[in-house]
Amino acid sequence: MGETNQLDKVKTQLEEILKTMQFGSVTLVVQDGKIIQIEKNEKIRLGK
């Protein structure tokens, strides 16, 4: 049950990040087979 709950939280966080991001990357940090951190690296494009 705990792993399912964690995956639901990760899924929710990722959805929120992706909704607000236009350019960039998202990195999942894993330790002992579990996601322990989500890193967001957002790019802002200026002009064309």
Side-chain angles (χ1 to χ4, degrees):
M1 184 76 119
E3 288 184 33
T4 302
N5 191 28
Q6 183 207 24
L7 290 176
D8 288 339
K9 286 181 183 180
V10 169
K11 180 182 172 193
T12 301
Q13 287 291 321
L14 287 174
E15 287 172 344
E16 290 302 313
I17 288 169
L18 294 174
K19 284 180 190 175
T20 62
M21 228 170 108
Q22 195 167 17
F23 300 101
S25 61
V26 176
T27 304
L28 302 178
V29 179
V30 178
Q31 182 177 333
D32 297 325
K34 295 184 178 170
I35 298 168
I36 62 164
Q37 185 171 311
I38 300 172
E39 298 175 359
K40 172 181 154 182
N41 187 2
E42 189 168 7
K43 306 290 184 187
I44 298 172
R45 305 260 169 118
L46 304 174
K48 290 190 178 195

